[in-house]
Amino acid sequence: MKPRIFINMHYMELGGAERALLGLLYAIDTERVDVDLFINQHTGPFMSLIPDKINLLPEIPRYSAIERPLMDILREGHLMIFLARLWGTARHGLYMKIHRIKNDGTGSQFIFDSVSRLLPSLHYLGEYDLAISFLDPPHIVQDKVLAKKKIEWIHTDFSGKVFSYDPRVTFRRWAANDGIVSISDDVTRSFVSAFPSLAGKIIKIENIIPASLVKSQAATGEPAEYSEMGRDIFRICSVGRLCYQKNFDNVPAIASILKTRGLKFKWWIVGPGDVESYNALAERYGVADCVVFLGPRENPYPYMLHCDLYVQPSRLEGKAITVQEAQMLGRAVLITNFPTSGSQLKDGEDGVVCGMDNASIAQAIASLACDCGKRKRLGENAEKMHLGNTEEVEKIYDLI
């Protein structure tokens, strides 16, 4: 009988963790192991990309109610989960007020702490050899699943430079894991700085990028939005969720600087979130003609492949898989100097790292827009250096 692996994920929206999960699923050899994938909420454009070889478990209504809009779950009759989520949110707000914290990364911990006891057990699925919580918090794997070994993935920076992660709130859950998977050396360092006693649990497994999938999806043709523009327009692309970490709220301000300098450009941002508010922000800055928040796209790769420059202006990253994918497609890439940027690329070799302030980002974009030769060199170097790494999956088998 083959070893059994259980993997839990929140949903399959357009995001870095979701992409990383797809990479793992495509790389796993189901001739060697059986894999059950449990997704709390069967939503998101990446649901259709889950490979047929993976056993997708049915959605369970109470699990799907964990993160959907509150009024939706109330109308569906999930009163107790509705109240538990309100209680968790209130506790988190009180915690932030008491400790005078503005940007805190532990909100989901409070909510999952409140909701977990209301979720049905998954013990009926039997015992697994390995259970993986692919996105924090790990409550479902830890509280609801039978497994010989349980591990959790780290996808973010724990240095506290952008978000704080108070060990008093999160330590118990992290410590309960048999292993903690880190996607880069910088992420490991930031995590160990916050939780030094857990250093012995760290296992490094880099994001797995299936090169064949990325390149085949990118080759489906130039996006219609690009085709409508003349080639004298400099094409900028960014991909990611519209949230504080990604810093897309500053894109209109950056674009206004570029526009003042006379650069002819258009910047497309692909990703889920409050698209109307972000586009309204572009209107307020007077850059709606050159900045467009497109919302989610099931296939973002043609936008990457056909751009002149891929920009990741993040405040915070673990290791942005979108950057790796753009490099795999031979694009010149610009990222900000977020705390873990050193694990992302080598400045001047396979991309460019700039300051995080708007003026520095605008200056770096303008400089690259005027230097086609440098962009070509960066893209060629990036494509050579990022050829895929499916061998990382062997580390999963070693854990069993």
Side-chain angles (χ1 to χ4, degrees):
M1 184 176 178
K2 289 182 287 186
R4 302 178 69 217
I5 298 176
F6 176 96
I7 303 176
N8 175 235
M9 187 59 171
H10 295 208
Y11 33 66
M12 292 302 287
E13 297 293 348
L14 184 67
E18 290 85 349
R19 281 190 179 84
L21 175 58
L22 284 176
L24 174 62
L25 297 178
Y26 274 85
I28 284 177
D29 182 359
T30 51
E31 294 295 319
R32 297 174 64 176
V33 295
D34 286 326
V35 179
D36 284 351
L37 175 63
F38 183 76
I39 299 178
N40 302 346
Q41 183 180 325
H42 285 204
T43 57
F46 285 165
M47 284 295 299
S48 63
L49 297 182
I50 296 169
D52 292 338
K53 65 181 179 178
I54 302 299
N55 180 36
L56 176 62
L57 295 168
E59 183 184 78
I60 296 176
R62 270 186 278 175
Y63 282 87
S64 75
I66 298 172
E67 294 173 277
R68 286 194 291 115
L70 282 168
M71 294 312 299
D72 286 355
I73 68 169
L74 183 60
R75 281 191 291 267
E76 293 169 10
H78 299 292
L79 176 61
M80 295 306 295
I81 291 180
F82 173 85
L83 294 174
R85 284 177 56 181
L86 289 180
W87 173 238
T89 301
R91 288 178 57 236
H92 180 236
L94 180 61
Y95 161 80
M96 292 179 68
K97 184 176 181 180
I98 290 172
H99 295 282
R100 297 179 181 180
I101 297 170
K102 290 185 178 180
N103 295 316
D104 175 60
T106 59
S108 58
Q109 293 280 345
F110 282 91
I111 291 172
F112 273 71
D113 278 344
S114 300
V115 169
S116 180
R117 69 197 69 170
L118 302 174
L119 302 174
S121 169
L122 299 177
H123 288 189
Y124 68 88
L125 296 169
E127 185 179 44
Y128 291 89
D129 295 280
L130 177 66
I132 298 171
S133 181
F134 204 77
L135 191 64
D136 189 60
H139 295 58
I140 292 172
V141 163
Q142 289 182 0
D143 299 347
K144 306 299 177 181
V145 178
L146 283 175
K148 296 174 183 176
K149 185 176 290 187
K150 299 181 179 183
I151 65 173
E152 181 178 1
W153 242 255
I154 308 172
H155 296 278
T156 193
D157 168 44
F158 284 80
S159 66
K161 294 179 181 178
V162 178
F163 283 117
S164 65
Y165 293 86
D166 193 328
R168 291 172 293 184
V169 176
T170 56
F171 178 82
R172 177 176 62 87
R173 287 291 178 176
W174 285 109
N177 292 299
D178 295 298
I180 300 167
V181 174
S182 169
I183 59 174
S184 75
D185 291 333
D186 279 348
V187 168
T188 297
R189 280 190 286 270
S190 71
F191 181 83
V192 172
S193 70
F195 305 98
S197 64
L198 300 181
K201 290 181 179 283
I202 292 290
I203 306 153
K204 182 183 174 184
I205 303 178
E206 293 188 358
N207 288 329
I208 299 172
I209 305 176
S212 58
L213 175 64
V214 172
K215 292 187 176 183
S216 65
Q217 287 197 288
T220 56
E222 185 178 69
E225 294 89 348
Y226 286 11
S227 302
E228 295 167 0
M229 307 301 298
R231 285 306 294 139
D232 61 327
I233 302 297
F234 188 67
R235 301 172 175 181
I236 307 171
C237 174
S238 300
V239 177
R241 188 173 283 111
L242 304 182
C243 60
Y244 178 81
Q245 295 97 314
K246 300 298 182 183
N247 197 29
F248 292 141
D249 51 297
N250 271 315
V251 166
I254 297 164
S256 68
I257 299 172
L258 293 171
K259 194 172 182 180
T260 301
R261 293 186 176 188
L263 181 66
K264 292 183 178 181
F265 71 98
K266 193 144 188 177
W267 193 338
W268 289 272
I269 300 92
V270 181
D274 189 355
V275 175
E276 289 186 7
S277 294
Y278 277 77
N279 279 322
L281 187 62
E283 290 275 4
R284 287 201 297 274
Y285 273 91
V287 293
D289 60 326
C290 50
V291 172
V292 180
F293 293 90
L294 289 169
R297 293 291 186 272
E298 184 172 334
N299 182 7
Y301 301 117
Y303 292 90
M304 291 182 179
L305 178 63
H306 294 281
C307 73
D308 296 306
L309 178 66
Y310 182 86
V311 177
Q312 196 75 38
S314 302
R315 294 182 172 98
L316 174 71
E317 290 286 353
K319 190 170 185 179
I321 198 167
T322 50
V323 170
Q324 294 174 272
E325 290 167 335
Q327 290 179 306
M328 184 177 287
L329 293 172
R331 297 300 87 197
V333 168
L334 171 68
I335 68 172
T336 47
N337 60 346
F338 45 81
T340 59
S341 61
S343 291
Q344 191 78 69
L345 55 77
K346 295 180 180 179
D347 184 29
E349 292 187 30
D350 60 334
V352 171
V353 181
C354 70
M356 202 173 292
D357 61 285
N358 293 344
S360 294
I361 298 172
Q363 175 57 42
I365 291 173
S367 176
L368 285 166
C370 297
D371 195 339
C372 180
K374 184 174 183 179
R375 295 199 313 272
K376 183 179 179 181
R377 175 175 58 80
L378 292 172
E380 289 174 349
N381 288 347
E383 189 170 12
K384 292 174 185 175
M385 295 171 71
H386 297 270
L387 301 175
N389 56 345
T390 54
E391 69 279 356
E392 287 289 293
V393 76
E394 292 292 333
K395 298 175 184 177
I396 297 292
Y397 307 141
D398 291 343
L399 290 171
I400 300 174

